Amino acid sequence: EDKVVQSPLSLVVHEGDTVTLNCSYEVTNFRSLLWYKQEKKAPTFLFMLTSSGIEKKSGRLSSILDKKELFSILNITATQTGDSAVYLCAKERETSGSRLTFGEGTQLTVNP
Amino acid sequence: GAVVSQHPSWVICKSGTSVKIECRSLDFQATTMFWYRQFPKQSLMLMATSNEGSKATYEQGVEKDKFLINHASLTLSTLTVTSAHPEDSSFYICSAQQGAYEQYFGPGTRLTVT
């Protein structure tokens, strides 16, 4: 089965806190792991991870992939209220034309 | 950056009618377009994959005669929900991909069937 599991499903923090979001996936037919941020509308792309152990960084966000343990984490440091969103993790399949399987998402709420 | 648009952004229709949703890649040619459906508080579920000029590939459990997909050009794909019913009410999102690069998502279309 093609499954992506995210945890926690929801998280409430205060501004300035650091959060870690988790994503685990099944190994079969794996090409890459992607992170998206979804606010009211469609997801916006954050990171694509293909290699194990190489951290990708964009401002206060960073992400890393562990292909041995089959998981990825998304870190957000010094959170701001604008970080409040659903964060989606998706596995891209190697075959069958790059299809994505999404996890349920983590609803992050950052309170002032 | 790559921009994908969808039209309409929201639509209300009566049960039994058909609705067409357009997905356009505005500044790149999309070799592949994907259609997703998202119910409230749930994640995106892939419905089908379409390549320009060929028939769409539907995911298991998605009725191809109900959700008609046409990918007539490298910048336009359409999804037609035929004989819509209230249970088809959902948020429909398309994404477009050029070659092997990441997918760019459209803003989504909220469909409400009364």
Side-chain angles (χ1 to χ4, degrees), chain A residues 40-74:
Chain A
K40 293 262 168 45
K41 293 195 172 179
T44 52
F45 172 79
L46 295 175
F47 298 109
M48 174 189 270
L49 304 159
T50 53
S51 300
S52 207
I54 299 173
E55 185 184 47
K56 289 211 170 178
K57 230 172 141 51
S58 175
R60 295 176 294 103
L61 277 68
S62 64
S63 185
I64 197 160
L65 175 68
D66 184 329
K67 288 169 83 170
K68 185 179 173 193
E69 299 298 327
L70 308 180
F71 78 91
S72 173
I73 59 171
L74 174 69

Side-chain angles (χ1 to χ4, degrees), chain B residues 23-79:
Chain B
C23 175
R24 291 181 188 271
S25 56
L26 298 186
D27 50 1
F28 68 100
Q29 293 190 321
T31 45
T32 307
M33 286 187 170
F34 302 85
W35 286 95
Y36 296 84
R37 181 166 51 183
Q38 187 176 32
F39 291 107
K41 305 287 186 190
Q42 295 185 26
S43 194
L44 281 77
M45 296 294 292
L46 179 65
M47 298 174 68
T49 304
S50 76
N51 293 291
E52 185 260 341
S54 60
K55 285 186 181 178
T57 303
Y58 290 81
E59 294 297 298
Q60 197 171 5
V62 178
E63 300 173 60
K64 61 180 181 183
D65 294 330
K66 181 169 182 61
F67 299 99
L68 301 179
I69 291 171
N70 186 312
H71 193 159
S73 77
L74 285 171
T75 59
L76 173 65
S77 176
T78 60
L79 167 69

Side-chain angles (χ1 to χ4, degrees), chain A:
Chain A
E1 191 186 325
D2 212 16
K3 209 168 175 183
V4 175
V5 178
Q6 290 186 245
S7 66
L9 293 181
S10 71
L11 190 54
V12 180
V13 300
H14 290 290
E15 265 193 317
D17 288 350
T18 293
V19 298
T20 299
L21 309 183
N22 304 293
C23 174
S24 64
Y25 63 93
E26 294 193 341
V27 69
T28 50
N29 198 3
F30 174 86
R31 173 183 284 167
S32 68
L33 195 292
L34 298 100
W35 284 96
Y36 291 88
K37 178 182 182 183
Q38 185 176 29
E39 296 173 88
K40 293 262 168 45
K41 293 195 172 179
T44 52
F45 172 79
L46 295 175
F47 298 109
M48 174 189 270
L49 304 159
T50 53
S51 300
S52 207
I54 299 173
E55 185 184 47
K56 289 211 170 178
K57 230 172 141 51
S58 175
R60 295 176 294 103
L61 277 68
S62 64
S63 185
I64 197 160
L65 175 68
D66 184 329
K67 288 169 83 170
K68 185 179 173 193
E69 299 298 327
L70 308 180
F71 78 91
S72 173
I73 59 171
L74 174 69
N75 270 328
I76 309 174
T77 59
T79 52
Q80 301 170 358
T81 54
D83 295 327
S84 297
V86 175
Y87 290 84
L88 295 166
C89 164
K91 168 187 156 182
E92 181 188 20
R93 302 174 208 178
E94 183 163 35
T95 58
S96 311
S98 301
R99 285 139 75 194
L100 297 180
T101 301
F102 281 86
E104 286 187 70
T106 294
Q107 172 73 63
L108 174 65
T109 303
V110 182
N111 289 323

